[in-house]
Amino acid sequence: MRCVIVDCAIYRDGCRTEGPADFSDALDEARASGDAFLWIGLHEPTEKEFELVTSEFGLHPLAVEDALCAHQRPKLEVYDDSLFLVLKPVQYDDKAGTVTAGELMVFVGDSFVVTVRHGEANPLGAVRDRLEKMPEVLQHGPTAVMYAVSDAVVDHYLDVADALHGDLEELETEVFAPNAGAGQNTAGRIYAFKREVMEFRRSTGPLGEPMERLTGAGVPFVHEGSRPFFRDVSDHLTRVNEHVEGLDRLLSDILSAHLAQMGVRQNDDMRKISAWAAMAAVPTMIAGIYGMNFQHMPELKQPWGYPGVIALMVGVIAVLYRWFKRRGWL
């Protein structure tokens, strides 16, 4: 069990204090003091490892199932003995151009916070360190941890959105370059980028409703003084969602523009092919006529017949070339 417990501590009056090594005894001590709470962090626990936590903290079985199975949408569930918040922290790999989402579950109840993390995206270490330097925020109790975790996840969303926007600008420049599309699967790259934005959107979009609920009254276990903090997180999340929607619309416009460019280039290529085919057809037709095996044909006995026919071919081709050039086909 100790291998999945990342950290376990009691916080009293906004400060970390030493407590019993066993988290069951630590929870009893926190509840007995009345002004303290226990924060325990877990990393990818199994069902058996999580059984003791479930029984000691009185967690709801549906929330426990979600925390163990992962693959949940961001949401906020209110149970009799606890709140259950699901967050999806994300990581963006600039080189690979991929968005990877983890999962972070937060249980908040009477004098305790339990955080369960799945995946590599981990804002909790920095959150705990930052909170321990802000006793005035920790004095709000377990709600302060929920706020700080949400704030860290959403702030990282802003960083990821900025990184995506930077890569999108590079892709946009490439698409509208004069030689765009030459030997490149540009449409495939745009579509792949759009999928990554969609993956990012799955993490940010559903979180709006839980944050709105936490800013209002009527949600148990939420400290009255923490609502302005959740309102700040909600405002940042709104910015992120607007940014993501803008990225998605811009990608759709870039894809449409790229396909239109490809259509124009194909039309230009077809016009050039048609023009050269027309010019090639003239000498082919004249040579074909004079290649027929008839005895009585004009100019067959004339000494200027051959150069005259050649001059006729060159003259017709020159006229056609000039005409196609004026119309922009060549």
Side-chain angles (χ1 to χ4, degrees):
M1 183 64 191
R2 299 302 304 177
C3 63
V4 300
I5 297 179
V6 179
D7 201 350
C8 179
I10 297 176
Y11 295 88
R12 182 178 288 106
D13 292 330
C15 298
R16 180 170 181 147
T17 61
E18 296 296 329
D22 184 79
F23 66 83
S24 301
D25 296 336
L27 178 61
D28 292 338
E29 181 178 318
R31 285 175 171 170
S33 66
D35 60 350
F37 69 91
L38 174 68
W39 180 2
I40 178 173
L42 306 175
H43 178 236
E44 296 183 355
T46 64
E47 182 176 356
K48 184 176 181 180
E49 291 168 336
F50 205 54
E51 282 180 358
L52 182 58
V53 178
T54 301
S55 60
E56 289 295 331
F57 291 88
L59 305 179
H60 196 279
L62 291 177
V64 171
E65 181 181 353
D66 289 344
L68 291 174
C69 296
H71 305 295
Q72 304 296 316
R73 297 174 74 251
K75 63 180 180 178
L76 175 67
E77 299 286 354
V78 180
Y79 299 104
D80 293 336
D81 299 324
S82 63
L83 288 179
F84 178 58
L85 177 66
V86 178
L87 302 163
K88 293 183 76 70
V90 298
Q91 285 183 326
Y92 180 57
D93 188 340
D94 246 340
K95 294 183 179 178
T98 56
V99 174
T100 306
E103 292 201 29
L104 183 57
M105 288 77 170
V106 183
F107 294 88
V108 172
D110 179 21
S111 301
F112 71 85
V113 179
V114 177
T115 54
V116 181
R117 177 172 62 89
H118 294 266
E120 297 301 321
N122 178 22
L124 293 183
V127 169
R128 191 182 287 263
D129 291 340
R130 188 172 73 250
L131 270 179
E132 289 178 357
K133 298 174 183 177
M134 302 168 63
E136 69 281 1
V137 176
L138 273 175
Q139 286 178 350
H140 292 160
T143 311
V145 177
M146 180 180 284
Y147 150 72
V149 171
S150 304
D151 185 56
V153 170
V154 172
D155 282 350
H156 190 59
Y157 285 165
L158 289 169
D159 296 335
V160 172
D162 289 339
L164 285 170
H165 188 77
D167 286 352
L168 180 59
E169 287 180 345
E170 294 179 5
L171 182 60
E172 185 179 16
T173 302
E174 180 182 321
V175 167
F176 291 104
N179 60 342
Q184 299 175 358
N185 184 19
T186 306
R189 291 184 58 202
I190 296 173
Y191 184 73
F193 200 101
K194 193 174 180 65
R195 286 181 62 89
E196 299 307 321
V197 171
M198 185 178 297
E199 179 68 22
F200 186 34
R201 193 173 189 172
R202 290 195 189 102
S203 300
T204 65
L207 188 57
E209 189 267 341
M211 289 298 107
E212 284 292 328
R213 290 177 61 189
L214 289 169
T215 61
V219 180
F221 306 107
V222 177
H223 192 277
E224 184 75 23
S226 64
R227 286 173 188 152
F229 294 96
F230 282 113
R231 192 173 299 114
D232 181 66
V233 176
S234 180
D235 290 342
H236 289 176
L237 183 62
T238 300
R239 286 174 50 199
V240 171
N241 286 327
E242 290 174 351
H243 203 159
V244 173
E245 288 184 13
L247 289 173
D248 188 57
R249 287 196 302 268
L250 191 55
L251 274 170
S252 297
D253 293 342
I254 291 174
L255 181 59
S256 299
H258 172 68
L259 295 177
Q261 280 184 326
M262 295 298 294
V264 170
R265 291 193 184 97
Q266 288 175 352
N267 288 336
D268 289 340
D269 293 340
M270 289 303 299
R271 286 191 299 180
K272 291 178 181 179
I273 293 171
S274 300
W276 286 110
M279 289 187 291
V282 172
T284 301
M285 179 189 68
I286 296 175
I289 292 173
Y290 280 92
M292 292 188 290
N293 296 321
F294 292 107
Q295 183 175 0
H296 300 289
M297 292 184 68
E299 292 84 31
L300 286 180
K301 303 295 184 180
Q302 300 296 331
W304 48 265
Y306 177 75
V309 171
I310 296 296
L312 177 63
M313 291 181 183
V314 172
V316 173
I317 292 174
V319 170
L320 288 175
Y321 180 84
R322 187 174 181 183
W323 186 69
F324 286 135
K325 196 72 172 176
R326 283 183 176 180
R327 293 181 62 87
W329 285 38
L330 291 174

